[in-house]
Amino acid sequence: DAGVTQSPTHLIKTRGQHVTLRCSPISGHKSVSWYQQVLGQGPQFIFQYYEKEERGRGNFPDRFSARQFPNYSSELNVNALLLGDSALYLCASSWPGGNQPQHFGDGTRLSIL
Amino acid sequence: GDSVTQMEGPVTLSEEAFLTINCTYTATGYPSLFWYVQYPGEGLQLLLKATKADDKGSNKGFEATYRKETTSFHLEKGSVQVSDSAVYFCALAFSGGYNKLIFGAGTRLAVHP
């Protein structure tokens, strides 16, 4: 069975640009969560979407937005990129419920020049 | 707020040595606890979980016991292998909430032959 897939794997942008990252969950999983992992740190929660609605949001500015499509895939959008947005962006899918194990993709490495 | 604290790494061991990676948590309720592992260039993989006090999670020779009295979830393995070299993350989540994992900073393990 296919795991969580993310695209692209690597991306280089300059300050002020916009970026869209994509995620396809494991078949049957309706919950998708996004995390930011800065080098040398643990992942930080950005969003959770379930049944196409935002169910949770972490402490990130409004430059970060996301959506979930009818097939449960998801996009993370970041506007007005800053140098500090350079990180590995991880997508995870799961069954709903906080104690359900989350299954992670390999991430998108975003570098801001 | 809710948080997870892990011992700082790197932890460097010889093959077949005993491993302990300490993890303590602060939480307002009764979370589920997880250990995730991240190999170079990859996303996070669930290693084990425990959902209530005194539960023991185990997988691939790794074990961790949910200790409510000491708010701890230390990871142990009796005999490490070179292939165990990775970064290990302790995390918590609440069953009644949305799919938000709160991670520690991670502990890098390096195992030498």
Side-chain angles (χ1 to χ4, degrees):
Chain A
D1 287 344
V4 176
T5 58
Q6 292 186 242
S7 62
T9 54
H10 294 85
L11 205 49
I12 299 174
K13 293 285 188 178
T14 57
R15 284 176 295 175
Q17 286 188 312
H18 162 271
V19 68
T20 298
L21 311 181
R22 296 178 175 83
C23 172
S24 293
I26 290 172
S27 178
H29 286 180
K30 299 181 179 180
S31 174
V32 171
S33 299
W34 287 94
Y35 293 82
Q36 181 195 64
Q37 186 180 17
V38 173
L39 194 63
Q41 297 182 19
Q44 298 292 316
F45 174 79
I46 308 175
F47 288 112
Q48 186 222 352
Y49 275 75
Y50 175 65
E51 291 284 14
K52 302 182 291 293
E53 291 188 7
E54 181 183 306
R55 300 302 179 105
R57 184 184 183 111
N59 188 25
F60 281 81
D62 291 344
R63 299 185 296 107
F64 288 77
S65 64
R67 55 179 176 168
Q68 187 176 35
F69 299 98
N71 65 354
Y72 304 109
S73 67
S74 178
E75 284 183 354
L76 175 70
N77 295 284
V78 186
N79 293 324
L81 287 166
L82 302 174
L83 293 177
D85 296 331
S86 295
L88 180 68
Y89 288 85
L90 295 164
C91 173
S93 74
S94 68
W95 301 108
N99 63 352
Q100 294 298 318
Q102 294 190 39
H103 301 264
F104 286 82
D106 287 342
T108 294
R109 173 72 62 187
L110 176 62
S111 299
I112 310 301
L113 302 180
Chain B
D2 305 318
S3 65
V4 175
T5 301
Q6 293 182 231
M7 63 186 288
E8 286 191 24
V11 174
T12 303
L13 296 173
S14 297
E15 205 164 26
E16 299 184 2
F18 184 86
L19 169 70
T20 299
I21 299 178
N22 291 338
C23 169
T24 57
Y25 67 90
T26 301
T28 52
Y30 301 99
S32 295
L33 300 174
F34 304 83
W35 277 101
Y36 282 82
V37 59
Q38 187 174 34
Y39 298 99
E42 298 184 11
L44 279 71
Q45 299 176 23
L46 177 67
L47 185 57
L48 52 84
K49 64 176 276 191
T51 57
K52 61 183 187 298
D54 299 325
D55 267 1
K56 176 185 282 188
S58 61
N59 186 27
K60 300 180 181 179
F62 291 89
E63 293 182 341
T65 301
Y66 190 139
R67 300 288 188 198
K68 181 182 170 186
E69 63 276 13
T70 54
T71 62
S72 65
F73 192 54
H74 304 320
L75 182 68
E76 297 182 336
K77 187 177 185 184
S79 177
V80 293
Q81 306 299 313
V82 172
S83 58
D84 293 327
S85 298
V87 181
Y88 292 80
F89 292 94
C90 185
L92 65 83
F94 294 96
S95 60
Y98 45 88
N99 294 76
K100 173 184 177 180
L101 283 162
I102 297 172
F103 286 91
T107 303
R108 181 174 299 278
L109 170 65
V111 181
H112 299 288

